[in-house]
């Protein structure tokens, strides 16, 4: 009978701090944790291995009596190591549970599972199996080594799809809980892990204290006992080791895996399944994980990871351990098309540790301003396409319909991908005014991109209702307002635009404008045109703003006519008196 113990056998690919690559077992990973830079491979492989090692590390500290000893964690961080006494004692106690081919308790498997149609071993990796015909070529090996089978087993437990699975002795059946999808644990949720440059630091950073004494991994008990397969996880280690699949690997005497029996395992309650996982980024609106990651949109959007109430739980813990230091964070997700994995996006961002525990809300406002600029870019591009005849409005108004909104979302996703390097540069900047400089840098970039887009579309524009120059001027004015007022939360009063001083034709504030004789002008409100609503004290002040933004021949008569319903619009905007509802 073959044997392959994960504690001693080398199956984890790592890069040492000197740049060399090695394979180590679980014990070797902990023993050399301070000298290991990172676990190599794709981000999703790194995630599942880190979760396993972090679960062992947290459980070992808990058994040793350090589950709530933050001072002990600080000492380990300063020493750039792990508590090997606690690790050795724990691994000796549970060594038999880490044998991949143990006849009674194989590692994270169901020894008694038999299915009618077992999978070929080469199809263990979920995205290779699902995309084999149309995506990357499937593994053509008839058998795979045990080291590769361990990684495939962990990936299958984490990312396996939610479709119909083989059932013991009866071919194929539906999931045991009707109406509940049971993707693997990370599934489509966006998960974040640290990349501090040291495996010892990574394991400490991603496991916030305190640890619960009743937080047991699956190898310390059997979650598959009983009739209720809908599990409500309550703690971190339980969440990281929950067997959401029942799998049994079959191997020959040479230790090569030939096939895998697989069916449904336990199903975590979808309402609370991520509450215990400190790696998951939550949705700011609902408090649930960010589902349905978009293959086009960068993973930092929506910026729930920047909000104090929805960011991954390990962020402030890591900042507490690190102090004022730069670090890197890596996020990954799975994009599902019904039951098939369509894409596996990931990204790495460098940031100052202070942004991991930011409580001022400035980072959220900064990212919101970036998104507003991207939205203004999408509106400008839509007007360019309308002017060139490449798009026809499906509604009689300028408001985008659902189909046009989807097209605008693709435009926004493209510009946000282009802005991601500038955002990373801002987050990595140690200066106190890094966010202010970042907003200015992004505004200038957007204005330059807008000028290039205008040059491309101005010659193509023939629809006089949507002139390209007007769309560009509205875009430039919009990003300028957003950049100047980015620290003001939404729905606050917009900044007051400058107006012309008649004596020297230079911009001045309304407070310094020369008062005029005669009847006081009525306040007017400008709406539409893809810009925020804005109030002017008089039509004259509105004219000054229009001239400042490219309408050199603007006159108050046109604005007054629009306010009195004598014409529909004036200079591309809707106008009304402030006292009109």
């Amino acid at each position: 009978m073959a044997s392959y113990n994960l504690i001693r056998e080398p199956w984890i690919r790592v890069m040492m701090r000197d740049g060399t690559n090695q394979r180590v077992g679980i014990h070797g990973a902990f023993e050399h944790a301070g000298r290991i830079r990172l676990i190599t491979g794709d981000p999703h492989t790194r995630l599942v291995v880190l979760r396993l090692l972090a679960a062992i590390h947290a459980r070992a500290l808990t058994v040793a009596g350090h589950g709530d000893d933050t001072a002990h964690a600080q000492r380990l961080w300063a020493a750039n190591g792990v508590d090997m006494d606690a690790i050795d004692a724990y691994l000796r106690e549970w060594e038999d549970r880490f044998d991949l081919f143990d006849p009674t308790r194989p590692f994270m498997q169901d020894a008694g599972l038999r299915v009618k149609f077992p999978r070929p071993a080469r199809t263990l990796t979920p995205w290779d199996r699902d995309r084999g015909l149309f995506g990357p070529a499937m593994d053509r090996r008839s058998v795979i080594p045990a080291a590769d089978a361990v990684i495939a087993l962990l990936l299958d437990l984490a990312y396996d799809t939610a479709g119909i699975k083989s059932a013991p002795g009866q071919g194929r059946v539906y999931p045991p809980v009707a109406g509940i999808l049971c993707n693997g644990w990370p599934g489509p949720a966006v998960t974040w892990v640290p990349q501090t440059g040291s495996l010892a630091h990574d394991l400490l950073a991603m496991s916030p204290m305190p640890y619960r004494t009743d937080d047991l991994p699956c190898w310390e008990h059997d979650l598959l006992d009983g009739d209720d397969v809908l599990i409500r996880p309550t703690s971190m280690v339980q969440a990281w080791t929950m067997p959401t699949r029942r799998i049994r690997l079959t191997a020959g005497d040479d230790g090569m895996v030939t096939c895998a029996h697989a069916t449904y395992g336990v199903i975590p309650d979808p309402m609370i399944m991520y509450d215990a996982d400190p790696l998951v980024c939550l949705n700011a609106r609902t408090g649930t994980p960010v589902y349905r990651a978009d293959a086009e949109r960068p993973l930092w959007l929506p910026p729930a990871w920047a909000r104090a109430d929805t960011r991954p739980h390990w962020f402030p813990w890591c900042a507490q351990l690190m102090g004022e230091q730069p670090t890197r964070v890596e996020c990954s997700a799975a994009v599902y098309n019904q039951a098939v994995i369509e894409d596996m996006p990931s990204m790495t961002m460098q940031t100052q540790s202070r942004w991991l525990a930011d409580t001022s809300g400035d980072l959220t406002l900064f990212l919101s301003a970036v998104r507003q600029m991207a939205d203004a870019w999408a509106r400008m591009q839509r007007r360019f396409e309308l002017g060139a005849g490449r798009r026809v409005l499906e509604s009689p108004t300028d408001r985008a319909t659902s189909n046009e909104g989807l097209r605008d979302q693709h435009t926004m996703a493209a510009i946000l991908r282009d802005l991601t390097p500038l955002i990373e540069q801002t987050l990595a900047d140690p200066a106190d005014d890094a966010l202010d400089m970042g907003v200015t840098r992004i505004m200038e970039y957007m204005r330059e991109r807008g000028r290039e887009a205008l040059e491309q579309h101005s010659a193509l524009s023939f629809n006089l209702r949507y002139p390209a120059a007007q769309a560009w001027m509205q875009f430039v004015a919009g990003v300028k307002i957003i950049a100047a007022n980015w620290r003001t939360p939404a729905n606050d009063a917009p900044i007051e635009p400058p107006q012309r001083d008649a004596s020297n034709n230079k911009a001045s504030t309304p407070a310094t404008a020369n008062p005029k004789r005669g009847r006081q002008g009525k306040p007017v409100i400008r709406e539409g045109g893809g810009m925020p609503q804005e109030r002017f004290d008089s039509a004259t002040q509105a004219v000054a703003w229009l001239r400042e933004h490219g309408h050199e021949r603007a006159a108050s008569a046109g604005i007054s006519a629009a306010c009195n319903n004598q014409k529909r619009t004036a200079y591309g905007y809707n106008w009304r008196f402030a006292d009109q509802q």
Side-chain angles (χ1 to χ4, degrees):
M1 178 67 68
S3 175
Y4 191 88
N5 194 289
L6 277 63
I7 295 176
R8 299 185 303 272
E9 299 290 345
W11 61 277
I12 305 173
R13 298 178 184 270
V14 299
M15 176 186 291
M16 310 303 289
R17 303 189 74 174
D18 60 5
T20 59
N21 293 297
Q22 297 182 17
R23 272 195 175 189
V24 296
I26 292 177
H27 186 274
F30 286 115
E31 185 178 17
H32 305 293
R35 298 193 297 113
I36 295 176
R37 181 183 298 275
L38 79 164
I39 296 169
T40 57
D42 60 83
H44 306 86
T45 298
R46 188 159 34 250
L47 170 64
V48 296
V49 176
L50 278 173
R51 289 196 317 161
L52 174 63
L53 294 178
I56 296 172
H57 181 254
R59 185 59 184 158
L61 289 182
T62 303
V63 172
H66 300 300
D68 57 353
D69 191 350
T70 56
H72 184 67
Q74 290 281 5
R75 290 192 294 271
L76 293 176
W77 183 277
N80 189 23
V82 297
D83 190 338
M84 283 306 300
D85 292 336
I87 295 292
D88 286 337
Y90 183 78
L91 292 180
R92 280 196 303 269
E93 181 179 0
W94 297 100
E95 182 174 4
D96 60 320
R97 299 294 174 88
F98 287 86
D99 191 333
L100 191 64
F101 305 126
D102 187 273
T104 58
R105 282 298 299 262
F107 174 72
M108 297 190 77
Q109 300 170 65
D110 183 356
L113 180 62
R114 297 293 186 275
V115 300
K116 187 174 182 180
F117 303 109
R119 295 178 186 171
R122 63 177 182 271
T123 64
L124 270 173
T125 306
W127 50 86
D128 284 347
R129 178 177 69 253
D130 295 327
R131 299 197 303 164
L133 296 179
F134 305 100
M138 291 178 62
D139 190 341
R140 298 300 180 186
R141 295 176 293 180
S142 58
V143 295
I144 60 175
D148 295 345
V150 178
I151 299 295
L153 171 67
L154 295 175
L155 289 171
D156 219 29
L157 291 171
Y159 292 103
D160 197 5
T161 54
I164 303 172
K165 303 296 174 185
S166 301
Q170 298 180 3
R172 304 169 77 83
V173 297
Y174 286 92
V177 180
I180 295 182
L181 295 179
C182 44
N183 291 324
W185 184 260
V190 179
T191 52
W192 297 71
V193 294
Q195 276 194 13
T196 61
S198 165
L199 179 60
H201 285 170
D202 290 346
L203 297 177
L204 282 169
M206 65 187 287
S207 310
M209 285 185 173
Y211 308 143
R212 293 175 45 166
T213 56
D214 60 347
D215 187 8
L216 304 179
C218 66
W219 51 81
E220 291 193 31
H221 65 102
D222 191 354
L223 284 176
L224 297 176
D225 285 342
D227 297 330
D228 187 7
V229 294
L230 184 64
I231 303 299
R232 291 169 174 82
T234 59
S235 48
M236 177 181 69
V237 174
Q238 180 189 12
W240 284 345
T241 62
M242 179 173 290
T244 51
R245 291 290 172 271
R246 295 174 63 195
I247 298 176
R248 185 180 68 85
L249 303 179
T250 300
D253 294 337
D254 57 356
M256 301 293 285
V257 177
T258 58
C259 65
H261 302 253
T263 186
Y264 289 104
V266 297
I267 301 178
D269 189 334
M271 300 304 296
I272 62 173
M273 62 186 293
Y274 292 100
D275 290 349
D277 193 342
L279 308 181
V280 171
C281 180
L282 299 177
N283 185 296
R285 181 175 61 85
T286 64
T288 57
V290 177
Y291 282 98
R292 303 185 184 279
D294 192 337
E296 295 185 358
R297 187 179 59 196
L299 288 180
W300 60 263
L301 191 72
W305 58 273
R307 294 174 56 95
D309 55 339
T310 58
R311 64 167 61 104
H313 299 329
W314 69 266
F315 275 19
W317 166 254
C318 177
Q320 176 184 344
L321 291 174
M322 294 189 66
E324 291 292 332
Q325 296 181 24
T327 187
R328 298 177 70 87
V329 292
E330 182 178 63
C331 60
S332 58
V335 178
Y336 289 82
N337 183 2
Q338 295 183 0
V340 176
I341 294 179
E342 192 172 68
D343 196 12
M344 304 290 287
S346 63
M347 66 175 295
T348 304
M349 296 181 64
Q350 185 171 355
T351 179
Q352 293 291 320
S353 60
R354 71 175 185 270
W355 299 127
L356 299 179
D358 176 51
T359 57
S360 65
D362 287 348
L363 181 57
T364 304
L365 294 175
F366 165 75
L367 296 173
S368 177
V370 174
R371 184 167 183 173
Q372 292 177 41
M373 292 184 189
D375 185 59
W377 171 269
R379 290 196 300 269
M380 179 188 70
Q381 291 289 350
R382 179 158 62 96
R383 295 182 70 86
F384 280 167
E385 293 179 0
L386 289 169
R390 296 176 179 173
R391 188 190 297 196
V392 178
L393 282 177
E394 299 176 8
S395 64
T397 65
D398 287 348
R399 188 180 299 277
T401 63
S402 58
N403 290 337
E404 293 165 351
L406 181 61
R407 190 169 177 177
D408 291 344
Q409 289 178 17
H410 293 312
T411 305
M412 283 187 61
I415 191 65
L416 287 170
R417 288 197 304 271
D418 295 340
L419 292 176
T420 298
L422 296 178
I423 295 173
E424 293 182 11
Q425 181 181 353
T426 301
L427 297 182
D429 190 346
D432 293 335
D433 58 346
L435 297 184
D436 293 290
M437 292 189 297
V439 168
T440 303
R441 190 183 302 117
I442 292 173
M443 179 194 68
E444 295 297 333
Y445 174 82
M446 295 287 281
R447 292 175 67 176
E448 182 62 28
R449 286 286 301 270
R451 188 177 297 108
E452 295 174 358
L454 175 64
E455 294 175 357
Q456 296 175 1
H457 289 85
S458 58
L460 303 176
S461 180
F462 63 87
N463 190 335
L464 298 181
R465 185 180 176 187
Y466 303 102
Q470 183 186 50
W472 174 75
M473 287 186 291
Q474 291 172 351
F475 167 72
V476 171
V479 296
K480 184 177 180 181
I481 291 175
I482 294 169
N485 205 35
W486 72 272
R487 288 185 182 274
T488 303
N491 301 323
D492 280 10
I495 61 172
E496 201 164 354
Q499 66 178 21
R500 293 282 184 179
D501 188 329
S503 61
N504 55 16
N505 201 34
K506 292 183 178 180
S508 62
T509 61
T512 60
N514 295 327
K516 292 190 176 182
R517 301 178 184 177
R519 186 177 60 183
Q520 185 72 22
K522 295 179 64 174
V524 297
I525 292 179
R526 186 208 69 224
E527 298 175 323
M531 298 185 62
Q533 176 181 296
E534 193 162 357
R535 184 183 187 276
F536 299 93
D537 292 337
S538 65
T540 303
Q541 189 182 92
V543 168
W545 183 89
L546 288 169
R547 291 177 178 176
E548 180 73 19
H549 291 82
H551 297 275
E552 298 295 337
R553 297 185 180 182
S556 58
I559 298 176
S560 298
C563 291
N564 290 311
N565 296 323
Q566 297 174 358
K567 57 188 303 185
R568 182 182 176 187
T569 62
Y571 310 106
Y573 302 99
N574 299 320
W575 301 88
R576 62 179 174 86
F577 291 118
D579 56 1
Q580 293 177 345
Q581 298 298 327

